[in-house]
Amino acid sequence: MKHRVTRRLLKSRNNMQISLDFENYEEAKDFVENVCFNPEEDYTHLEDSNDFHEEFHGNKEIVSIDKT
């Protein structure tokens, strides 16, 4: 099942959002951990009870993983 990673920049002028699709959850999670995360930020992890949505909240962005 495909997964979509979305980055929303919180303090950008146009509320910029970038989305990428991945073949599976492992690829999406790897991308989030190795590319999206800024080592200077502390992210809070939120997960839906139905396992279709995960969010990671930082000071400057929100990164989410959704099943598509």
Side-chain angles (χ1 to χ4, degrees), residues 9-40:
L9 303 178
L10 297 175
K11 297 180 181 175
S12 66
R13 247 177 130 163
N14 300 356
N15 295 324
M16 190 163 77
Q17 180 172 306
I18 303 165
S19 297
L20 294 169
D21 290 339
F22 293 89
E23 290 298 320
N24 55 50
Y25 175 79
E26 290 75 24
E27 288 178 5
K29 182 74 171 179
D30 186 55
F31 179 81
V32 168
E33 290 175 347
N34 293 309
V35 177
C36 294
F37 282 171
N38 181 343
E40 297 170 4

Side-chain angles (χ1 to χ4, degrees), residues 29 32 37 43-45 54-58 61-63 65:
K29 182 74 171 179
V32 168
F37 282 171
Y43 290 85
T44 303
H45 178 234
E54 281 186 84
E55 281 189 2
F56 304 90
H57 289 240
E61 68 179 347
I62 296 173
V63 180
I65 301 174

Side-chain angles (χ1 to χ4, degrees), residues 45-55 66:
H45 178 234
L46 304 171
E47 188 171 345
D48 275 1
S49 58
N50 60 13
D51 281 345
F52 291 113
H53 181 79
E54 281 186 84
E55 281 189 2
D66 296 285

